[in-house]
Amino acid sequence: MSGPNTNYDPVEVAALAPEAVEQAVTDALTAVAAATTLEELKSARLAHAGERSPLALANREIGALPPSARAEAGKRVGQARGRVNQALAARQAELEAERDERILVEEALDLTAVPGRRPLGRRHVLTVTAERMADVMVGMGWEIAEGPGVEAEWFNFDALNFDKDHPARQMQDTFFVEPADAGLVLRTHTSPVQARSLLERGVPLYVAVPGKTFRTDELDATHTPVFHQMEGLAIDEGLTMAHLKGTLDRLAEGMFGPGITSRLRPSFFPFTEPSAEMDFRCFVCQGQDPGCRTCGGTGWIEWGGCGMVHHNVLRACGVDPERYQGFAFGMGVERTAMFRHGVSDMRELIEGDVRFNAQFGMEI
Ligand code: PHE
């Protein structure tokens, strides 16, 4: 850029030529119209109205014109810049309005929305069922006892009057723990805790034993190799089967409601004599509906085994059978939970689908 030069004709300064100025305005207006975001408009402003834009550069040339030509050139460039600035301001307003509208939609707050609750974990239906069974027993003054899942063969079988080659040993489908001579099994029932409790706690004794048990069953709708039982053992002076029946009736009522009692059918277990299978009254039809789907029309639902504790078991545990007698029972927790909650497939209990679990987990 040079100082005033009286010889300059504005029309001959290329940047100030009307066509050049008009072109610069056209370019600017095109760029402004093409800008679809505030970012793009910012670039357009820099390119067409910034310090290094064609119009700004042209403006600087005005000083180099002879004074007589400055007014006209100044007016031309000034108007051109005015048009560009107006277009910029208008587009700026449009784009800001668009942005504000979009934000109102995109960032809308639904003040009526319920805030997301933190999902609460639930206890498994088997846990809840076993705890309720234990609670009913505790309510009758019994204690809770527990024993190991990996159990000595002696406690699982020998102490319970199973002969070495008693078929019942095979009947129980036992998982033996290696090495073969270790004498260890995965307990096939909670009954070994009968012997453990007698040895540890002595008599008189009233214990309920919830726990995991194992048998070599294939997993299907009614079997699982890992399941749960609840055992009951009462040893005292003068206990009879009437006490057993009364206890089972209270437990059945505690689990299935008032009036739901139990019945006994003759059976066999090596560790009880006499032995019985126990059923509970169908709580759906109360024995009134031959077409009932819950009990198959029999009016009763199988629950487990029970009986008067065999004197050989008492002797093996150092208890004098002449003075002390008692009864024992053991039932499946899975069956109890399934009938209580209408679960027809045992696999649902162990698959761990939270949608299944979420239906339970709370009990008052
Ligand atoms: N332990 C037996 C079973 O698992 C049930 C039972 C328990 C029977 C106590 C009699 C007494 O089948």
Side-chain angles (χ1 to χ4, degrees), residues 196-226:
R196 286 182 173 274
S197 306
L198 278 171
L199 288 170
E200 278 165 27
R201 305 186 188 203
V203 286
L205 180 70
Y206 294 81
V207 283
V209 185
K212 254 189 198 20
T213 46
F214 310 83
R215 288 184 199 176
T216 58
D217 285 324
E218 293 292 332
L219 180 64
D220 64 24
T222 52
H223 294 87
T224 148
V226 182

Side-chain angles (χ1 to χ4, degrees), residues 122-358:
R122 323 253 171 161
R123 288 178 322 148
H124 195 272
V125 62
L126 285 177
T127 311
V128 174
T129 306
E131 277 183 14
R132 186 177 180 99
M133 294 169 90
D135 278 353
V136 174
M137 301 310 295
V138 168
M140 288 192 274
W142 292 42
E143 294 174 45
I144 301 300
E146 288 186 318
V150 178
E151 182 58 283
E153 214 178 325
W154 188 84
F155 277 116
N156 197 81
F157 292 124
D158 302 71
L160 297 174
N161 198 36
F162 285 77
D163 269 354
K164 270 276 172 258
D165 44 20
H166 196 290
R169 270 190 214 235
Q170 279 77 55
M171 190 176 90
Q172 298 249 353
D173 303 323
T174 312
F175 282 114
F176 287 89
V177 177
E178 290 190 326
D181 60 358
L184 290 176
V185 298
L186 297 187
R187 69 177 175 194
T188 57
H189 50 179
T190 40
S191 301
V193 189
Q194 287 188 26
R196 286 182 173 274
S197 306
L198 278 171
L199 288 170
E200 278 165 27
R201 305 186 188 203
V203 286
L205 180 70
Y206 294 81
V207 283
V209 185
K212 254 189 198 20
T213 46
F214 310 83
R215 288 184 199 176
T216 58
D217 285 324
E218 293 292 332
L219 180 64
D220 64 24
T222 52
H223 294 87
T224 148
V226 182
F227 58 107
H228 298 77
Q229 288 189 335
M230 201 192 66
E231 189 89 5
L233 172 70
I235 305 292
D236 207 336
E237 290 179 66
L239 290 182
T240 70
M241 272 191 110
H243 297 107
L244 166 62
K245 178 74 169 73
T247 305
L248 291 175
D249 284 351
R250 291 293 82 70
L251 182 56
E253 284 195 318
M255 296 311 292
F256 300 104
I260 303 303
T261 55
S262 67
R263 83 169 174 185
L264 304 179
R265 286 176 290 122
S267 184
F268 171 79
F269 298 98
F271 40 97
T272 45
E273 182 59 37
S275 301
E277 297 287 337
M278 57 198 178
D279 305 332
F280 59 85
R281 207 26 149 171
C282 176
F283 55 92
V284 174
C285 75
Q286 325 255 344
Q288 303 300 310
D289 177 8
C292 176
R293 294 214 275 158
T294 302
C295 64
T298 63
W300 297 96
I301 296 165
E302 288 178 22
W303 207 8
C306 61
M308 299 306 290
V309 176
H310 199 288
H311 52 84
N312 284 350
V313 175
L314 294 175
R315 275 203 203 93
C317 298
V319 177
D320 176 7
E322 297 302 324
R323 183 165 172 207
Y324 290 98
Q325 306 78 34
F327 58 88
F329 59 86
M331 65 270 290
V333 177
E334 275 77 0
R335 270 185 83 70
T336 309
M338 286 168 76
F339 277 103
R340 241 179 135 230
H341 299 286
V343 178
S344 54
D345 193 323
M346 203 176 264
R347 285 168 290 202
E348 304 225 70
L349 296 175
I350 57 174
E351 273 165 0
D353 187 328
V354 289
R355 292 168 303 179
F356 174 79
N357 292 351

Side-chain angles (χ1 to χ4, degrees), residues 61-137:
E61 299 290 347
I62 291 171
L65 295 178
S68 59
R70 281 183 200 161
E72 196 209 329
K75 191 175 161 199
R76 182 158 56 242
V77 174
Q79 279 178 349
R81 299 180 90 187
R83 283 167 68 199
V84 171
N85 284 335
Q86 251 176 26
L88 278 167
R91 188 74 185 130
Q92 174 85 19
E94 266 173 32
L95 290 175
E96 278 178 3
E98 266 175 33
R99 178 203 57 194
D100 290 351
E101 207 155 307
R102 200 177 58 243
I103 284 175
L104 276 181
V105 174
E106 283 175 5
E107 299 180 10
L109 289 181
D110 179 0
L111 298 181
T112 67
V114 180
R117 301 218 171 92
R118 197 185 284 182
L120 281 183
R122 323 253 171 161
R123 288 178 322 148
H124 195 272
V125 62
L126 285 177
T127 311
V128 174
T129 306
E131 277 183 14
R132 186 177 180 99
M133 294 169 90
D135 278 353
V136 174
M137 301 310 295

Side-chain angles (χ1 to χ4, degrees), residues 11-91:
V11 184
E12 283 174 11
V13 174
L16 289 170
E19 312 80 56
V21 171
E22 194 53 38
Q23 186 61 49
V25 171
T26 306
D27 290 348
L29 297 186
T30 307
V32 167
T36 55
T37 65
L38 286 164
E39 273 303 300
E40 285 171 19
L41 190 64
K42 198 172 162 191
S43 311
R45 176 177 291 112
L46 204 67
H48 297 281
E51 276 181 38
R52 309 208 57 78
S53 63
L55 286 175
L57 294 176
N59 196 48
R60 284 189 215 163
E61 299 290 347
I62 291 171
L65 295 178
S68 59
R70 281 183 200 161
E72 196 209 329
K75 191 175 161 199
R76 182 158 56 242
V77 174
Q79 279 178 349
R81 299 180 90 187
R83 283 167 68 199
V84 171
N85 284 335
Q86 251 176 26
L88 278 167
R91 188 74 185 130

